[in-house]
């Protein structure tokens, strides 16, 4: 089997030296796949993604055990900015946009630091507008005045301007209407299928995520408790109700579905 693009190996992480958030998270993202990271509120999805992008120190957090390797690079020893240059680009939870900048200015910030030429940037901008035509209509509008869906598209568009190889998304569906969520996931899948963009997406909305993902990993209380083929996970009603149903996430059962 080929080496995965991203390998998260038995990672433990804590905030402020004592608040342990991750107790042993492992997952692999293969080149060219959409991988969903699932789990209830507080399961550790955001912490895992921040560990992947080496963003924990900015929140007084740190990886205390295990390791994370992106395309041969130990992410704990690579600055977040260098990780972006290497192609690991994250869209943080809450669709962070610069509210006082226009949509187009937001997109252009994604090209900073790449040292790209004007023509190249113009081409990338046109590409993002092709993916999200709504952004083209709103390009002169301040991001702060845009709808939640448009802001999420702008945040994703900005990440695309950095030319990612692995796009990491934290809860892109949060607070958005179901139709807008579908629209965003459809575009992500198209990018994945047509351009081979690898995607790691954390979601509480497991129904949508499993529908679009190739494989998935489930976290519970800071641990990987399940991983495997998304379709298999989707079809197994017992797992569905156990992990994502009203009873909430499963209670300590470890399972491995044939990947
Ligand atoms: P959510 O969907 O709510 O974002 P999550 O699965 O992403 O949930 P995390 O945000 O990673 O979960 O949180 C995991 C644990 O770490 C939680 O117990 C949370 O309270 C704790 N935590 C998260 N961020 C911090 C922080 N900056 N300082 C201290 N504890 C934190």
């Amino acid at each position: 089997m080929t080496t995965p693009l991203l390998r998260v190996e038995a990672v433990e992480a804590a905030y402020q030296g004592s608040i342990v958030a991750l107790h042993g998270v492992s997952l692999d993202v293969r080149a060219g796949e959409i991988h969903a990271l699932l789990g209830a509120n507080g399961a550790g999805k955001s912490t895992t993604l921040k560990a992947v992008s080496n963003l924990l120190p900015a929140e007084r957090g740190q990886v205390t055990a295990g390791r994370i390797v992106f395309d041969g690079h130990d992410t704990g020893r690579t600055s977040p900015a260098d990780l972006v240059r290497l192609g690991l680009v994250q869209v943080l939870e809450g669709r962070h946009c610069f509210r006082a900048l226009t949509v187009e200015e937001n997109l252009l910030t994604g090209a900073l630091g790449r040292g790209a030429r004007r023509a190249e940037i113009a081409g990338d901008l046109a590409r993002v507008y092709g993916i999200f035509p709504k952004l083209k209509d709103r390009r002169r509008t301040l991001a702060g005045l845009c709808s939640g869906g448009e802001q999420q598209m702008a945040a994703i568009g900005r990440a695309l301007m950095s030319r990612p190889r692995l796009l990491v998304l934290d809860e892109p569906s949060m607070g958005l209407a179901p139709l807008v969520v579908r629209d965003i996931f459809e575009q992500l899948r198209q990018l994945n299928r047509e351009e081979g963009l690898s995607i790691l997406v954390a979601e509480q909305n497991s129904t949508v995520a499993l529908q679009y993902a190739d494989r998935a990993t489930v976290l519970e209380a800071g641990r990987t408790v399940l991983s495997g083929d998304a379709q298999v996970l989707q079809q197994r009603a017992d797992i569905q109700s156990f992990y994502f149903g009203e009873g909430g996430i499963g209670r300590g059962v470890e399972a491995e579905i044939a990947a």
Side-chain angles (χ1 to χ4, degrees):
M1 177 171 283
T2 52
T3 316
L5 183 59
L6 176 76
R7 169 158 282 173
V8 176
E9 249 174 39
V11 164
E12 297 177 18
Y15 291 98
Q16 296 162 44
S18 58
I19 307 168
V20 182
L22 304 183
H23 299 269
V25 170
S26 298
L27 67 95
D28 281 349
V29 179
R30 299 172 187 163
E33 79 169 351
I34 300 181
H35 195 108
L37 183 61
L38 307 175
N41 203 345
K45 303 181 296 297
S46 297
T47 304
T48 301
L49 297 192
K50 284 176 192 158
V52 161
S53 296
N54 200 6
L55 293 170
L56 284 180
E59 293 197 30
R60 299 182 64 203
Q62 66 178 123
V63 170
T64 51
R67 64 183 201 136
I68 303 173
V69 179
F70 170 70
D71 197 26
H73 300 268
D74 183 334
T75 70
R77 294 170 183 272
T78 314
S79 73
D82 282 342
L83 288 171
V84 170
R85 278 183 213 110
L86 289 167
L88 199 171
V89 184
Q90 181 157 172
V91 179
L92 293 166
E93 188 174 325
R95 47 184 178 264
H96 287 260
C97 283
F98 299 106
R99 298 175 64 83
L101 297 184
T102 65
V103 164
E104 186 153 300
E105 287 164 345
N106 266 276
L107 296 176
L108 290 172
T109 62
L112 295 175
R114 225 182 67 211
R117 291 164 190 237
R118 241 168 220 255
E120 223 177 279
I121 293 173
D124 287 355
L125 206 50
R127 174 174 162 258
V128 170
Y129 288 146
I131 297 164
F132 297 118
K134 274 189 190 141
L135 293 185
K136 190 169 186 185
D137 301 339
R138 305 285 267 160
R139 66 187 190 277
R140 308 262 173 258
T141 306
L142 295 181
L145 299 178
C146 289
S147 70
E150 288 161 351
Q151 288 184 20
Q152 184 62 270
M153 289 174 200
I156 295 171
R158 190 177 66 212
L160 294 175
M161 292 293 288
S162 307
R163 296 200 173 177
R165 286 191 297 141
L166 175 62
L167 181 64
V168 177
L169 299 144
D170 196 352
E171 302 235 15
S173 78
M174 195 200 265
L176 301 182
L179 274 179
V180 179
V181 172
R182 298 235 160 246
D183 192 17
I184 287 173
F185 270 86
E186 284 291 337
Q187 295 309 324
L188 291 173
R189 180 151 70 184
Q190 206 167 323
L191 278 165
N192 167 263
R193 297 296 186 252
E194 290 177 5
E195 300 183 19
L197 176 66
S198 307
I199 297 174
L200 171 61
V201 54
E203 263 302 342
Q204 271 195 60
N205 186 339
S206 60
T207 311
V208 172
L210 286 175
Q211 197 181 327
Y212 288 92
D214 299 299
R215 295 191 309 131
T217 295
V218 181
L219 300 187
E220 185 208 345
R223 281 192 178 81
T224 296
V225 290
L226 189 68
S227 67
D229 186 274
Q231 271 188 338
V232 176
L233 280 170
Q234 203 178 18
Q235 283 158 12
R236 283 196 38 180
D238 56 333
I239 289 170
Q240 275 287 313
S241 60
F242 192 73
Y243 283 97
F244 316 118
E246 282 179 12
I249 292 290
R251 292 159 198 83
V253 173
E254 298 232 1
E256 181 78 26
I257 300 214

